[in-house]
Amino acid sequence: MGEAAGTVADLKRDTDGEILVQGSSDLLRTLQEAELVDEYRLLVFPVVLGRGKRLFADGTAPAGLRLTGATATGAGVLYVTYEWAGKPSYGSVAW
């Protein structure tokens, strides 16, 4: 486990509340692989400027998440919440 994952694991063990981790998709993948992500909260904007990097790109391990909430704002921004659903087996897709 890398330094970032070890630090988040320590915080998660020693904290009763929520921990918000902001970072790159590389950091999120590292925490996902260490099974430290319980929930993703994403804001999806209808207009994207520039070129983004996919959070779960082709060739990465299945995410093991389930959609638990979705809300649209009056401006068209989507607020979606995904929770950890357990580590999926390869070849399994739950819809």
Side-chain angles (χ1 to χ4, degrees):
M1 184 179 311
E3 183 179 338
T7 299
V8 171
D10 291 344
L11 285 170
K12 194 170 176 178
R13 183 186 62 246
D14 298 337
T15 304
D16 292 333
E18 294 182 0
I19 302 169
L20 174 64
V21 178
Q22 296 180 348
S24 68
S25 59
D26 291 336
L27 173 61
L28 293 175
R29 277 192 296 278
T30 297
L31 297 178
Q32 179 84 31
E33 289 170 6
E35 299 184 15
L36 293 170
V37 177
D38 297 318
E39 181 178 87
Y40 283 100
R41 296 180 186 174
L42 306 173
L43 292 172
V44 181
F45 292 86
V47 176
V48 179
L49 300 176
R51 192 178 103 168
K53 190 173 186 180
R54 290 180 55 186
L55 180 59
F56 302 109
D58 293 335
T60 60
L65 303 171
R66 73 172 164 262
L67 180 67
T68 57
T71 305
T73 69
V77 176
L78 297 178
Y79 176 69
V80 293
T81 306
Y82 294 91
E83 288 183 352
W84 176 247
K87 202 167 210 172
S89 59
Y90 283 92
S92 69
V93 177
W95 294 99

